[in-house]
C-alpha cells in the first residue's frame, strides 16, 4: 500500500516548548498499533542507519553476513531479516519505508488432497512425500468471519467516529472537552494565550523518527515534530 500523509494537530506550550497532546484521527492511532506488531528484525533494519542503541544491530549484521551454507535448507536470510509484516487490520497507512506488508495470510495444501496445510508453497506433503503444497486455500480472518456480507469499508484497528487524544508519551484516549481541560490543569497552564496549535504531517521520515523516539523517549511528539534548534533558542530566552 502506498504511503499517504497522515495529519495530526499538536497543542504546544510555547513557554516550555513541548507538545502537551495531539488531536489525531484513526489513521494515526492505527499506525501506532501497527508499530506494536512489527517484527523485531524489521525494527532493527529500519533503525540501524539511525544510530540504534544496543547490540541487536550487531547480531542482525552478523546474520546478514553469515554464509547460506550454515542455514537449514528450508530457511533463507530474507525471510529472517526482512520478514513480511502482516496487517490484521486490513487497510492501514503504514508510514514506514521499504516495508513489504500483507493484509491476508496465504496457506497451501497438498495437490493430491491430503489434509496437511503449510504457509510455504514449496513444502513437500508429509503424507505422500512427493507433492508440493501448491493448492492455495482461502483464509477467512476474524473480521470477515464475524461480519459475513458486511458492506462496511472501514478497516484498521480503531473506529473513526471519534477524535483521539495522543499524549507526548503516546498514551492514547478518546478526545473530550472535559479531558482537555483536566489536562491543561494538570500541566499547570495558566495562560491559554501561551498555547499554540500546529497541524503536522506524518510521512515515512517522521514515521521512522517516531519509531526510534518511542524506544528511547517519553516525549516522542516533542522530539519528532519540534525542531531541536527551536528548543535551544527557547532555552536561551529564559
Amino acid at each position: 500500500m502506498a504511503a499517504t500523509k497522515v495529519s495530526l494537530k499538536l497543542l504546544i506550550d510555547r513557554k516550555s516548548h513541548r507538545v502537551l497532546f495531539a488531536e489525531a484521527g484513526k489513521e494515526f492511532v492505527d499506525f501506532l498499533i501497527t508499530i506494536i506488531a512489527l517484527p523485531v528484525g524489521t525494527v532493527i533494519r529500519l533503525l540501524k542507519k539511525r544510530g540504534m542503541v544496543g547490540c541487536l544491530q550487531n547480531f542482525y549484521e552478523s546474520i546478514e553476513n553469515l554464509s547460506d551454507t550454515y542455514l537449514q535448507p528450508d530457511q533463507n536470510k530474507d525471510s529472517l531479516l526482512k520478514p513480511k509484516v502482516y496487517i490484521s487490520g486490513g487497510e492501514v497507512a503504514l508510514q514506514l519505508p521499504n516495508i513489504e506488508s500483507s493484509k491476508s495470510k496465504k496457506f497451501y495444501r497438498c495437490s493430491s488432497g491430503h489434509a496437511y496445510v503449510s504457509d510455504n508453497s514449496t513444502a513437500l506433503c508429509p503424507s505422500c512425500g512427493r507433492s508440493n503444497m501448491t493448492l492455495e486455500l482461502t483464509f477467512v480472518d476474524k473480521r470477515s468471519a464475524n461480519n459475513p456480507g458486511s458492506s462496511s469499508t472501514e478497516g484498521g484497528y480503531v473506529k473513526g467516529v471519534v477524535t483521539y487524544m495522543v499524549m507526548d508519551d503516546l498514551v492514547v484516549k478518546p478526545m473530550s472537552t472535559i479531558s482537555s481541560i483536566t489536562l491543561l490543569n494538570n500541566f499547570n497552564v495558566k495562560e491559554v494565550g501561551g498555547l499554540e496549535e500546529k497541524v503536522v504531517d506524518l510521512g515515512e521520515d517522521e514515521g521512522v523518527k517516531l519509531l526510534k523516539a518511542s524506544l528511547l523517549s517519553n516525549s516522542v511528539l516533542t522530539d519528532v515534530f519540534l525542531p531541536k534548534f527551536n528548543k535551544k533558542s527557547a532555552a536561551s530566552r529564559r
Side-chain angles (χ1 to χ4, degrees), residues 35-102:
I35 285 181
I36 297 175
L38 287 178
V40 174
T42 299
V43 174
I44 297 170
R45 182 168 59 84
L46 288 170
L47 299 184
K48 69 175 186 174
K49 293 183 179 179
R50 295 178 178 253
M52 184 177 178
V53 175
C55 60
L56 275 176
Q57 177 180 339
N58 298 334
F59 175 67
Y60 183 98
E61 291 176 348
S62 68
I63 298 301
E64 200 171 30
N65 296 326
L66 186 70
S67 170
D68 290 340
T69 305
Y70 299 101
L71 295 179
Q72 294 286 354
D74 61 340
Q75 298 293 333
N76 67 81
K77 285 193 285 189
D78 273 353
S79 63
L80 298 174
L81 302 177
K82 301 176 183 178
K84 182 177 291 187
V85 178
Y86 172 62
I87 302 176
S88 62
E91 294 292 340
V92 173
L94 189 58
Q95 308 299 93
L96 296 169
N98 303 318
I99 297 292
E100 185 179 0
S101 62
S102 172

Side-chain angles (χ1 to χ4, degrees), residues 170-236:
L170 299 187
V171 170
V172 177
K173 60 185 71 174
M175 189 86 183
S176 73
T177 303
I178 294 177
S179 60
S180 302
I181 294 173
T182 302
L183 272 176
L184 294 180
N185 289 332
N186 292 340
F187 284 124
N188 199 28
V189 175
K190 303 297 184 183
E191 296 289 337
V192 179
L195 302 179
E196 174 189 354
E197 287 188 346
K198 181 180 180 181
V199 176
V200 297
D201 292 327
L202 178 80
E204 289 185 348
D205 185 55
E206 293 83 4
V208 175
K209 290 179 180 177
L210 191 148
L211 172 61
K212 180 179 179 180
S214 67
L215 298 173
L216 301 172
S217 171
N218 286 319
S219 54
V220 175
L221 299 182
T222 296
D223 294 343
V224 173
F225 294 108
L226 298 190
K228 292 185 181 300
F229 69 86
N230 280 346
K231 291 183 182 180
K232 293 178 181 177
S233 61
S236 65

Side-chain angles (χ1 to χ4, degrees), residues 105-150:
K105 296 178 180 178
K106 289 188 176 181
F107 294 99
Y108 307 88
R109 64 175 295 178
C110 174
S111 56
S112 297
H114 296 112
Y116 290 96
V117 176
S118 173
D119 60 358
N120 184 353
S121 62
T122 63
L124 287 176
C125 173
S127 181
C128 63
R130 62 179 183 275
S131 297
N132 286 339
M133 312 284 279
T134 55
L135 185 61
E136 186 173 336
L137 302 176
T138 301
F139 175 75
V140 180
D141 60 20
K142 185 176 180 181
R143 183 190 304 273
S144 301
N146 291 342
N147 301 281
S150 172

